[in-house]
Amino acid sequence: MSTGPTHAMSGLLAWSAVTALASSHPIGQLSPQSWAVGAVLATGAALLPDLDHPGSTISRTFGALSGGLSAGINVVSSFVYRTTRLKKDSKRDGGHRGLTHTLVFAVIAALFTTAVVQNSQKWALPALMFVFAGLAVRGILNDWNPKQDALMITVVSAGVTWAMIAWTSRTNASAAACGIAVGVGCFAHYVGDAITEQGCPMLWPIPIMGKTWFPVAPPKIMRMKTGGVVEMAIVGPVVTILSVWLGLAALQATGALPFLDWVDLLPI
């Protein structure tokens, strides 16, 4: 997988790009509040697929709670892998880079998020914001402070959640936009994993070359080593710069940044 910061910023980049490109379409005409909520959800969702690995840093975000959830997801993922793999698929346990690393999971996560937000903006949205803000904070800050504990994550997540909910108190967030944000964040994670050495089985259960868990990836010369020089010196910084640039462009389209109207942020 890519490192936490790269994954997190790729989620923000993907959400910024999608909303900036769709700004002229009715579905992309979001309020500044809806865009900001989606940005938090997408950034956190870009770490969500790694909850299938109990040993991952993300799985320890909320201590025993997220650890227990991760263990359960790992068991389910292993079971699905073993029962659906073909002869050409590797004989690994299938826990990590299994079910949560597929487009099927991204769609389910998006639909679940949409349904939850539609059900209640009062309690469900704050709960989702809290969880995804925690994942985002853990991912972004992990390399800077890998020993950050659950208490710190909880406090920061609570602060981000409070700020977002206070800002959206007069304008409801779009349930559909929230779902799309989570799906986009998951997809960004898959792309990040696909360009590493192992690839990503995102197209499961479609059989490709005799494998239902075919690792989608570009040619080896185009892949990078996780945490290697290419990611840390090139990919990570570029993704971060683009996410900020496109984020400003998307916010400008919502009318949240009128003072940037004179800046041609998105020349497309």
Side-chain angles (χ1 to χ4, degrees):
M1 72 188 83
S2 299
T3 58
T6 302
H7 270 319
M9 296 311 295
S10 71
L12 178 58
L13 171 60
W15 173 247
S16 299
V18 168
T19 51
L21 292 172
S23 60
S24 60
H25 191 279
I27 195 173
Q29 294 175 0
L30 301 174
S31 67
Q33 292 89 341
S34 287
W35 187 90
V37 168
V40 173
L41 294 177
T43 304
L47 281 300
L48 186 62
D50 277 344
L51 281 173
D52 65 359
H53 192 328
S56 68
T57 302
I58 302 305
S59 297
R60 299 192 298 273
T61 299
F62 296 110
L65 183 61
S66 56
L69 176 62
S70 177
I73 292 175
N74 181 266
V75 170
V76 173
S77 182
S78 295
F79 174 77
V80 173
Y81 182 88
R82 292 195 306 269
T83 55
T84 62
R85 72 180 182 87
L86 299 178
K87 291 183 179 180
K88 290 188 177 181
D89 285 306
S90 61
K91 295 182 179 180
R92 60 188 181 89
D93 66 9
H96 183 47
R97 291 209 185 186
L99 184 60
T100 61
H101 285 70
T102 67
L103 291 176
V104 171
F105 175 81
V107 171
I108 292 174
L111 293 176
F112 176 79
T113 300
T114 300
V116 168
V117 176
Q118 283 180 335
N119 180 62
S120 173
Q121 293 254 343
K122 184 176 182 180
W123 66 266
L125 182 57
L128 282 175
M129 288 290 294
F130 178 78
V131 171
F132 284 98
L135 294 178
V137 171
R138 169 64 86 175
I140 293 173
L141 299 183
N142 184 63
D143 284 4
W144 173 65
N145 182 19
K147 294 184 179 180
Q148 56 190 305
D149 56 24
L151 177 60
M152 174 186 172
I153 295 296
T154 300
V155 171
V156 176
S157 298
V160 172
T161 302
W162 178 84
M164 288 292 100
I165 298 305
W167 193 31
T168 59
S169 60
R170 296 183 180 180
T171 304
N172 287 338
S174 166
C178 289
I180 292 173
V182 170
V184 165
C186 288
F187 182 73
H189 182 104
Y190 306 155
V191 173
D193 277 359
I195 61 175
T196 59
E197 296 169 319
Q198 291 178 283
C200 181
M202 67 177 83
L203 297 181
W204 174 90
I206 301 173
I208 301 175
M209 298 177 65
K211 299 178 180 181
T212 50
W213 296 92
F214 181 81
V216 176
K220 289 187 176 181
I221 194 173
M222 298 174 64
R223 303 183 204 177
M224 65 181 186
K225 181 180 179 181
T226 300
V229 175
V230 173
E231 178 184 357
M232 305 309 290
I234 301 176
V235 177
V238 168
V239 167
T240 300
I241 293 171
L242 287 178
S243 65
V244 173
W245 176 56
L246 287 176
L248 289 173
L251 272 174
Q252 181 190 19
T254 69
L257 302 175
F259 58 89
L260 288 179
D261 283 347
W262 59 275
V263 180
D264 188 11
L265 288 171
L266 192 63
I268 58 175

